[in-house]
mmCIF file of all heavy atoms in Angstrom:
data_model
loop_
_atom_site.group_PDB
_atom_site.id
_atom_site.type_symbol
_atom_site.label_atom_id
_atom_site.label_comp_id
_atom_site.label_asym_id
_atom_site.label_seq_id
_atom_site.Cartn_x
_atom_site.Cartn_y
_atom_site.Cartn_z
ATOM 1 N N GLU A 112 -2.160 0.617 15.592
ATOM 2 C CA GLU A 112 -1.554 -0.473 16.366
ATOM 3 C C GLU A 112 -0.284 -0.967 15.670
ATOM 4 O O GLU A 112 0.747 -1.172 16.302
ATOM 5 C CB GLU A 112 -2.526 -1.648 16.511
ATOM 6 C CG GLU A 112 -3.542 -1.475 17.602
ATOM 7 C CD GLU A 112 -4.410 -2.709 17.764
ATOM 8 O OE1 GLU A 112 -5.226 -2.978 16.862
ATOM 9 O OE2 GLU A 112 -4.267 -3.384 18.799
ATOM 10 N N ASN A 113 -0.367 -1.172 14.353
ATOM 11 C CA ASN A 113 0.796 -1.619 13.580
ATOM 12 C C ASN A 113 1.870 -0.540 13.523
ATOM 13 O O ASN A 113 3.062 -0.837 13.607
ATOM 14 C CB ASN A 113 0.386 -2.029 12.171
ATOM 15 C CG ASN A 113 -0.485 -3.267 12.169
ATOM 16 O OD1 ASN A 113 -0.371 -4.112 13.051
ATOM 17 N ND2 ASN A 113 -1.361 -3.366 11.192
ATOM 18 N N ALA A 114 1.449 0.709 13.379
ATOM 19 C CA ALA A 114 2.408 1.815 13.329
ATOM 20 C C ALA A 114 3.171 1.921 14.648
ATOM 21 O O ALA A 114 4.372 2.197 14.661
ATOM 22 C CB ALA A 114 1.691 3.126 13.015
ATOM 23 N N LEU A 115 2.479 1.672 15.732
ATOM 24 C CA LEU A 115 3.095 1.750 17.053
ATOM 25 C C LEU A 115 4.223 0.741 17.204
ATOM 26 O O LEU A 115 5.236 1.019 17.846
ATOM 27 C CB LEU A 115 2.026 1.519 18.120
ATOM 28 C CG LEU A 115 2.228 2.135 19.490
ATOM 29 C CD1 LEU A 115 2.463 3.630 19.395
ATOM 30 C CD2 LEU A 115 1.029 1.847 20.368
ATOM 31 N N ASP A 116 4.062 -0.416 16.581
ATOM 32 C CA ASP A 116 5.105 -1.446 16.639
ATOM 33 C C ASP A 116 6.399 -1.014 15.948
ATOM 34 O O ASP A 116 7.463 -1.543 16.242
ATOM 35 C CB ASP A 116 4.614 -2.748 15.992
ATOM 36 C CG ASP A 116 3.555 -3.446 16.820
ATOM 37 O OD1 ASP A 116 3.487 -3.176 18.044
ATOM 38 O OD2 ASP A 116 2.800 -4.250 16.261
ATOM 39 N N GLU A 117 6.311 -0.068 15.026
ATOM 40 C CA GLU A 117 7.480 0.387 14.274
ATOM 41 C C GLU A 117 8.261 1.489 14.990
ATOM 42 O O GLU A 117 9.360 1.839 14.571
ATOM 43 C CB GLU A 117 7.052 0.882 12.895
ATOM 44 C CG GLU A 117 6.440 -0.204 12.032
ATOM 45 C CD GLU A 117 5.940 0.318 10.702
ATOM 46 O OE1 GLU A 117 6.527 1.304 10.195
ATOM 47 O OE2 GLU A 117 4.975 -0.247 10.182
ATOM 48 N N ILE A 118 7.679 2.031 16.059
ATOM 49 C CA ILE A 118 8.329 3.121 16.805
ATOM 50 C C ILE A 118 9.081 2.511 17.988
ATOM 51 O O ILE A 118 8.495 1.750 18.758
ATOM 52 C CB ILE A 118 7.287 4.149 17.300
ATOM 53 C CG1 ILE A 118 6.499 4.721 16.121
ATOM 54 C CG2 ILE A 118 7.977 5.266 18.084
ATOM 55 C CD1 ILE A 118 5.304 5.560 16.529
ATOM 56 N N PRO A 119 10.362 2.828 18.151
ATOM 57 C CA PRO A 119 11.120 2.279 19.277
ATOM 58 C C PRO A 119 10.532 2.685 20.632
ATOM 59 O O PRO A 119 9.936 3.760 20.766
ATOM 60 C CB PRO A 119 12.515 2.889 19.100
ATOM 61 C CG PRO A 119 12.585 3.272 17.667
ATOM 62 C CD PRO A 119 11.185 3.651 17.276
ATOM 63 N N GLU A 120 10.711 1.829 21.618
ATOM 64 C CA GLU A 120 10.256 2.115 22.973
ATOM 65 C C GLU A 120 10.979 3.342 23.502
ATOM 66 O O GLU A 120 12.183 3.485 23.323
ATOM 67 C CB GLU A 120 10.538 0.928 23.900
ATOM 68 C CG GLU A 120 9.744 -0.323 23.561
ATOM 69 C CD GLU A 120 8.262 -0.194 23.816
ATOM 70 O OE1 GLU A 120 7.844 0.556 24.724
ATOM 71 O OE2 GLU A 120 7.489 -0.831 23.083
ATOM 72 N N GLY A 121 10.241 4.220 24.151
ATOM 73 C CA GLY A 121 10.823 5.415 24.737
ATOM 74 C C GLY A 121 9.768 6.471 24.955
ATOM 75 O O GLY A 121 8.598 6.291 24.584
ATOM 76 N N PRO A 122 10.160 7.586 25.524
ATOM 77 C CA PRO A 122 9.193 8.634 25.849
ATOM 78 C C PRO A 122 8.507 9.246 24.622
ATOM 79 O O PRO A 122 7.359 9.683 24.717
ATOM 80 C CB PRO A 122 10.018 9.674 26.606
ATOM 81 C CG PRO A 122 11.432 9.387 26.259
ATOM 82 C CD PRO A 122 11.514 7.929 25.958
ATOM 83 N N LEU A 123 9.178 9.256 23.471
ATOM 84 C CA LEU A 123 8.542 9.831 22.285
ATOM 85 C C LEU A 123 7.454 8.921 21.730
ATOM 86 O O LEU A 123 6.505 9.390 21.102
ATOM 87 C CB LEU A 123 9.576 10.174 21.213
ATOM 88 C CG LEU A 123 10.512 11.335 21.566
ATOM 89 C CD1 LEU A 123 11.445 11.640 20.407
ATOM 90 C CD2 LEU A 123 9.728 12.571 21.965
ATOM 91 N N LYS A 124 7.568 7.638 21.964
ATOM 92 C CA LYS A 124 6.508 6.711 21.562
ATOM 93 C C LYS A 124 5.247 7.018 22.357
ATOM 94 O O LYS A 124 4.145 7.068 21.806
ATOM 95 C CB LYS A 124 6.956 5.265 21.781
ATOM 96 C CG LYS A 124 5.957 4.234 21.300
ATOM 97 C CD LYS A 124 6.554 2.841 21.402
ATOM 98 C CE LYS A 124 5.653 1.804 20.779
ATOM 99 N NZ LYS A 124 6.290 0.477 20.736
ATOM 100 N N LEU A 125 5.414 7.260 23.655
ATOM 101 C CA LEU A 125 4.277 7.644 24.496
ATOM 102 C C LEU A 125 3.700 8.974 24.029
ATOM 103 O O LEU A 125 2.484 9.114 23.897
ATOM 104 C CB LEU A 125 4.698 7.737 25.961
ATOM 105 C CG LEU A 125 3.652 8.318 26.914
ATOM 106 C CD1 LEU A 125 2.390 7.466 26.943
ATOM 107 C CD2 LEU A 125 4.236 8.465 28.322
ATOM 108 N N GLU A 126 4.551 9.943 23.745
ATOM 109 C CA GLU A 126 4.061 11.253 23.299
ATOM 110 C C GLU A 126 3.296 11.134 21.984
ATOM 111 O O GLU A 126 2.263 11.781 21.785
ATOM 112 C CB GLU A 126 5.214 12.242 23.168
ATOM 113 C CG GLU A 126 4.729 13.649 22.889
ATOM 114 C CD GLU A 126 5.828 14.699 22.918
ATOM 115 O OE1 GLU A 126 6.930 14.426 23.417
ATOM 116 O OE2 GLU A 126 5.563 15.809 22.417
ATOM 117 N N ALA A 127 3.780 10.296 21.079
ATOM 118 C CA ALA A 127 3.079 10.086 19.810
ATOM 119 C C ALA A 127 1.692 9.500 20.058
ATOM 120 O O ALA A 127 0.709 9.917 19.434
ATOM 121 C CB ALA A 127 3.888 9.163 18.899
ATOM 122 N N LEU A 128 1.592 8.562 20.980
ATOM 123 C CA LEU A 128 0.305 7.950 21.301
ATOM 124 C C LEU A 128 -0.630 8.943 21.981
ATOM 125 O O LEU A 128 -1.833 8.971 21.708
ATOM 126 C CB LEU A 128 0.522 6.706 22.169
ATOM 127 C CG LEU A 128 -0.636 5.735 22.273
ATOM 128 C CD1 LEU A 128 -1.152 5.302 20.904
ATOM 129 C CD2 LEU A 128 -0.225 4.515 23.090
ATOM 130 N N GLU A 129 -0.084 9.790 22.845
ATOM 131 C CA GLU A 129 -0.902 10.829 23.487
ATOM 132 C C GLU A 129 -1.421 11.830 22.455
ATOM 133 O O GLU A 129 -2.580 12.250 22.515
ATOM 134 C CB GLU A 129 -0.091 11.546 24.566
ATOM 135 C CG GLU A 129 0.167 10.694 25.783
ATOM 136 C CD GLU A 129 1.124 11.334 26.784
ATOM 137 O OE1 GLU A 129 1.943 12.197 26.386
ATOM 138 O OE2 GLU A 129 1.065 10.949 27.955
ATOM 139 N N LYS A 130 -0.570 12.213 21.505
ATOM 140 C CA LYS A 130 -1.012 13.119 20.438
ATOM 141 C C LYS A 130 -2.079 12.456 19.572
ATOM 142 O O LYS A 130 -3.020 13.104 19.106
ATOM 143 C CB LYS A 130 0.171 13.538 19.553
ATOM 144 C CG LYS A 130 1.161 14.434 20.240
ATOM 145 C CD LYS A 130 0.775 15.871 20.093
ATOM 146 C CE LYS A 130 1.884 16.764 20.617
ATOM 147 N NZ LYS A 130 1.566 18.168 20.453
ATOM 148 N N ALA A 131 -1.933 11.140 19.369
ATOM 149 C CA ALA A 131 -2.926 10.402 18.588
ATOM 150 C C ALA A 131 -4.281 10.439 19.285
ATOM 151 O O ALA A 131 -5.306 10.680 18.645
ATOM 152 C CB ALA A 131 -2.460 8.966 18.371
#
Side-chain angles (χ1 to χ4, degrees):
E112 279 184 290
N113 293 331
L115 207 54
D116 289 339
E117 297 176 30
I118 302 170
E120 294 292 330
L123 291 183
K124 184 173 187 173
L125 172 61
E126 188 173 345
L128 197 53
E129 289 173 336
K130 291 272 188 178

